[in-house]
Amino acid sequence: MSLRELLRVPAGGPVDLAAIDPAGMPGVPDAARRHPRRWAQEQLVEVGAELAGYQERLYAGARAGGDRRRVLLVLQAMDCGGKDGATKRVAGMMNPQGMHIVSFGRPTEEERAHDFLWRIRRALPEPGYLGVFNRSHYEDVLVVRVHELVPPEVWRARYDQISAFEHELAQDEVTMLKVMLHISYDEQRERLLARLEDPTKHWKYNPGDVDERELWPAYQSAYADALARCSTDEAPWYVVPANRKWYRDWAVATLLRDTLADLGLRYPPGDFDPQAEKRRLIEADRLAKLSVAAG
Ligand code: ADP
């Protein structure tokens, strides 16, 4: 079974997050179980090279071939779930020039004056780009639902609005890959403690994280609903066990690699004859040298 089949949320759900082990390592072959970390790190080097190759074809196709395709990786997770780490490790293996990485925080006043998808539309990758969303429009059925920032009828209507929006994106040649990084309640505590113990990580700590943690069950339910209601064949959700960072990075990179591989990306052919161009170049050089020699 491919990693995508192992981690994918079936279209329409159901999703039982409590039944998915955040420390699990689906897709790591039995032969690698003695040293899974080393295996995954070695694999990641190869997967990274493939990612870079596909991304260059995607970019080249848009720049020189008029190809309108783009790819969007959406990352969602509980606090300390590893969105930043996965972005750094996975996006870091590709050419920054072809990446479009956007983080979504609390909406600004201007953003709040518009529909919740307004800021998302503005942040979509252009043709040829590989976009990464660190948080996304799903916050509008996660934090917004848990904190009742809008009336229930408003957030309830958003699942269908999101699916319609993502269908529209698929029609517009956006290939989406949505990943929830799944950590355990205990792992979150360990990561919060680690942040508090390390002064170089204090900038990442937010006292509000402790209050959010109290709402863990409400968030897990909100996640389960969002994943079940918005996993479609066009824009599938995947749940990546994320307690082990090395597994998380390997899994996200591999899901992305497999998604890119399906696109059949090719370098666009030039609209010139390379042999004729070579002759022209050599002839121009020869003439330049002659004129220098002639003084
Ligand atoms: P992160 O925690 O991802 O490193 P921040 O510290 O900037 O980044 O936190 C972003 C915050 O913005 C989170 O608490 C998140 O819940 C909140 N947020 C994101 N989108 C929305 C939204 N649409 N409505 C309300 N809050 C949001």
Side-chain angles (χ1 to χ4, degrees):
M1 239 204 221
S2 73
L3 190 64
R4 281 190 296 180
E5 288 167 316
L6 287 169
L7 302 183
R8 182 173 178 152
V9 174
V15 184
D16 181 4
L17 287 172
I20 302 175
D21 179 6
M25 35 181 144
V28 173
D30 286 343
R33 294 262 160 173
R34 279 189 60 206
H35 300 290
R37 182 189 184 125
R38 195 195 309 155
W39 176 86
Q41 287 170 338
E42 284 167 8
Q43 290 289 309
L44 186 59
V45 175
E46 282 175 35
V47 175
E50 290 177 77
L51 279 178
Y54 286 129
Q55 185 217 11
E56 187 171 88
R57 288 171 179 78
L58 180 69
Y59 189 74
R63 291 299 293 256
D67 194 334
R68 296 199 68 255
R69 288 181 295 178
R70 42 258 163 89
V71 173
L72 178 59
L73 168 65
V74 169
L75 293 174
Q76 284 288 161
M78 299 292 289
D79 288 329
C80 299
K83 292 177 282 89
D84 292 347
T87 302
K88 184 164 111 181
R89 295 299 309 280
V90 176
M93 294 188 292
M94 290 173 275
N95 185 342
Q97 200 159 232
M99 307 291 300
H100 186 72
I101 300 171
V102 186
S103 300
F104 293 97
R106 256 172 223 102
T108 61
E109 206 175 309
E110 186 189 22
E111 288 167 349
R112 271 202 307 275
H114 294 84
D115 163 62
F116 75 104
L117 294 171
W118 182 74
R119 64 175 182 163
I120 307 296
R121 290 182 189 279
R122 287 159 56 95
L124 291 170
E126 294 288 318
Y129 282 79
L130 203 159
V132 181
F133 279 1
N134 184 332
R135 300 188 189 270
S136 65
H137 43 302
Y138 283 92
E139 292 293 327
D140 291 280
V141 288
L142 295 168
V143 63
V144 170
R145 161 174 158 172
V146 170
H147 284 277
E148 298 174 12
L149 301 179
V150 298
E153 60 274 19
V154 174
W155 60 255
R156 274 202 201 105
R158 287 182 174 165
Y159 300 106
D160 288 342
Q161 289 162 6
I162 288 174
S163 294
F165 169 63
E166 293 182 355
H167 174 68
E168 188 193 311
L169 294 188
Q171 300 296 307
D172 201 18
E173 316 226 30
V174 180
T175 297
M176 282 185 86
L177 162 68
K178 303 180 296 196
V179 174
M180 180 209 180
L181 304 174
H182 179 47
I183 58 163
S184 64
Y185 187 66
D186 287 347
E187 180 67 18
Q188 189 191 54
R189 187 193 55 236
E190 293 311 307
R191 292 187 186 184
L192 285 169
L193 284 173
R195 281 185 187 179
L196 287 168
E197 273 155 26
D198 180 353
T200 70
K201 297 222 173 105
H202 284 177
W203 64 277
K204 280 189 161 222
Y205 183 81
N206 173 357
D209 292 349
V210 176
D211 306 308
E212 286 298 277
R213 185 169 159 76
E214 310 258 298
L215 299 166
W216 182 277
Y219 270 105
Q220 294 290 303
S221 306
Y223 264 105
D225 284 348
L227 270 51
R229 297 205 50 182
C230 300
S231 192
T232 58
D233 290 337
E234 289 170 332
W237 266 110
Y238 298 90
V239 178
V240 167
N243 274 13
R244 302 173 202 261
K245 294 175 183 174
W246 54 264
Y247 176 82
R248 170 199 79 197
D249 296 337
W250 169 76
V252 174
T254 302
L255 292 172
L256 184 58
R257 190 269 320 266
D258 293 348
T259 301
L260 286 163
D262 272 1
L263 296 180
L265 299 163
R266 301 263 176 277
Y267 284 106
D271 54 359
F272 48 82
D273 172 359
Q275 295 309 328
E277 291 303 302
K278 234 155 103 183
R279 284 193 296 275
R280 255 171 24 93
L281 178 64
I282 291 165
E283 182 60 10
D285 247 32
R286 193 179 65 80
L287 292 177
K289 277 192 194 120
L290 280 180
S291 76
V292 170

